[in-house]
Amino acid sequence: RVFTSIADYTEPEVVKFLEEKEKDVVFKPYAQAALEQIKVFEKEASVLEAGELLPANRQIARGDGAVFDPDVQGITNWTKPEAWFVWHFKMKETGEYNVEMSQAMEANGENQFTVIIGSTALNSKAADTGDWKEYRSNGLKEMVKIEAGRTYALFLKAGEIVQPRMMNFKGVRLHKK
C-alpha cells in the first residue's frame, strides 16, 4: 500500500527514493511498479495553459465517499473525509500560480479543504453557493511556484472541519500571477 500511494507523487525526491529501493531485494518489485506508474502519470499528465480547467473527470479518486456525476461533470456526494482526489498535470509556463476551485455547496456548516501541490499545502474553506448545483469560483489566497514542463500531482483533501457533506466540485484552475 505504501508504494502504491507513493506512486501518486511525481516529485524528484520520490523518484530518487524509489530508485534507491530498487536496489533492495525485498522492495525491488514494489519500487519498480511505483516507478512505472509515475512514468504513466508523466506521460498522460494534462498540459495546461494558465486559467485552463483541470476537470473533475480527469481526477483519480482515492478512497470511497464521493461520486462523479456525468450530468454536471463534477464530483458530488463527498461524504467521507477519508476520500481524496489527485490530478497529474504540467503547466506550459513557469511562474507563481493561484489555485481556484470550481465548487458548489448548500449551507450545511463550515467545510475546510486542502490543496497540495509539490511541497506546498494550501488550506481554504468551501464557499456557500446556496445550492449543490450552483458552481462558483473559489480562489485560494496563497500562491504556488510551478516549473514549466514538470509533472505535478495536485491533491484535494478534506480539511480539519467537515460537516455532513463536503463541497461538490467541477475542477481546478491555476491562474498565473
Side-chain angles (χ1 to χ4, degrees):
R1 288 185 184 185
V2 170
F3 285 91
T4 300
S5 295
I6 288 173
D8 277 335
Y9 295 86
T10 56
E11 282 73 24
E13 300 85 7
V14 173
V15 171
K16 182 179 177 185
F17 169 80
L18 291 170
E19 289 171 346
E20 288 173 11
K21 291 300 175 190
E22 275 187 304
K23 299 171 189 168
D24 186 306
V25 175
V26 174
F27 297 119
K28 182 176 182 173
Y30 306 111
Q32 286 177 333
L35 286 166
E36 285 303 313
Q37 184 60 61
I38 289 171
K39 287 179 186 176
V40 170
F41 289 146
E42 288 176 339
K43 181 181 176 187
E44 296 177 355
S46 299
V47 180
L48 304 174
E49 298 271 353
E52 187 176 344
L53 183 69
L54 192 53
N57 66 353
R58 297 278 310 187
Q59 58 74 39
I60 301 166
R62 300 293 188 207
D64 297 325
V67 295
F68 178 76
D69 182 346
D71 290 336
V72 294
Q73 291 294 299
I75 298 295
T76 63
N77 294 317
W78 184 6
T79 57
K80 294 184 182 177
E82 299 82 19
W84 49 279
F85 313 89
V86 62
W87 291 262
H88 294 93
F89 71 97
K90 299 174 186 177
M91 295 303 292
K92 288 187 177 179
E93 292 184 55
T94 296
E96 287 193 16
Y97 287 83
N98 172 262
V99 177
E100 173 190 286
M101 295 297 305
S102 175
Q103 58 104 149
M105 187 180 86
E106 187 174 296
N108 73 334
E110 187 175 335
N111 284 247
Q112 295 176 339
F113 64 93
T114 301
V115 172
I116 301 168
I117 302 173
S119 61
T120 303
L122 308 167
N123 299 305
S124 193
K125 294 180 183 180
D128 177 4
T129 62
D131 189 285
W132 289 107
K133 294 181 182 179
E134 183 68 36
Y135 289 85
R136 293 191 191 138
S137 297
N138 183 359
L140 284 68
K141 295 177 183 172
E142 299 173 62
M143 304 293 281
V144 61
K145 291 181 183 179
I146 295 178
E147 296 174 28
R150 180 177 153 201
T151 303
Y152 287 87
L154 184 151
F155 297 91
L156 173 62
K157 299 180 177 192
E160 291 183 22
I161 299 174
V162 295
Q163 295 303 315
R165 182 173 160 191
M166 290 294 296
M167 66 186 177
N168 291 350
F169 62 90
K170 283 190 176 188
V172 182
R173 292 182 198 280
L174 295 155
H175 296 282
K176 191 171 178 199
K177 179 179 176 183

